[in-house]
Amino acid sequence: KALMQWRGRVMFLRAAEGEPWPDLSDTGLAASRDSWLVPALFNKTSLKALSAGDLSEALMALLPWDLRARLDREAPTHFEAPTGSHLAIDYAAGQGPTIAVRLQELFGLTNHPSVAKGRVPLVLELLSPAQRPVQVTRDLPGFWRGSYAAVRADLRGRYPRHPWPEDPAGAVPTRRAKPRGT
């Protein structure tokens, strides 16, 4: 799973920038198998002798050292929400890099999160306190100004123990429900 996420991150940056990122698509890997797979198979007498670690190392060797640092900076594995939660970024999602996050964890956030040095906004799958999808957005400040009011009206009745401020951009982010009796 970790290798698939790594591959998705590299393929995302290749789609965003092109060269110098290697082509790690299925067809690209099949076309260049002599340069990465054949050395990994050296001295192996069966496929059982090829471990997942051997395959992982062979694929990761396709990424030059200078690009490895850029990969971590421009396509991080996780997004840190204002509450401190680390949310995995799904680079293989069809609509682009995506995170699923509870709405209350983004309170106080006035800028939309992005990757690739701020060039690509993350797709935010906003969730209710029960982890059910509520809305998908690529413009969090626009969501706060626009359709948040309708979402707030709907969810306030279903989740009365959770905070639903009128100004979410100025509110304190939280992972918790309000204490009883408040």
Side-chain angles (χ1 to χ4, degrees):
K1 188 173 182 179
L3 183 60
M4 290 301 291
Q5 187 196 38
W6 178 86
R7 180 181 172 207
R9 291 166 54 211
V10 173
M11 288 172 45
F12 159 72
L13 288 173
R14 180 174 173 84
E17 298 179 12
E19 294 294 330
W21 299 97
D23 181 8
L24 298 183
S25 66
D26 291 342
T27 55
L29 289 174
S32 65
R33 68 182 174 267
D34 292 342
S35 65
W36 69 274
L37 184 58
V38 170
L41 295 174
F42 186 73
N43 280 341
K44 306 283 193 271
T45 56
S46 70
L47 283 179
K48 287 182 181 179
L50 182 69
S51 71
D54 293 335
L55 185 61
S56 178
E57 287 176 22
L59 280 174
M60 288 186 172
L62 291 172
L63 192 65
W65 281 103
D66 60 323
L67 292 181
R68 291 181 188 201
R70 280 186 59 200
L71 177 67
D72 291 335
R73 277 193 316 271
E74 296 180 29
T77 59
H78 290 78
F79 166 75
E80 185 175 353
T83 57
S85 297
H86 290 271
L87 307 159
I89 301 172
D90 180 7
Y91 288 93
Q95 66 264 26
T98 303
I99 58 170
V101 59
R102 279 180 290 186
L103 189 59
Q104 288 87 359
E105 292 198 53
L106 297 178
F107 288 163
L109 198 60
T110 56
N111 296 323
H112 191 87
S114 59
V115 291
K117 292 184 182 176
R119 292 188 310 265
V120 180
L122 287 173
V123 175
L124 301 177
E125 291 179 354
L126 303 175
L127 306 174
S128 73
Q131 303 283 338
R132 293 187 181 105
V134 174
Q135 182 113 7
V136 176
T137 185
R138 287 182 190 208
D139 179 18
L140 188 63
F143 170 72
W144 291 146
R145 290 187 306 273
S147 60
Y148 170 74
V151 170
R152 175 180 179 261
D154 181 42
L155 296 181
R156 244 171 83 178
R158 281 195 268 171
Y159 304 100
R161 292 194 54 226
H162 293 270
W164 300 104
E166 288 187 27
D167 177 23
V172 177
T174 183
R175 286 184 246 172
R176 302 183 172 268
K178 295 186 282 187
R180 291 187 189 269
T182 60

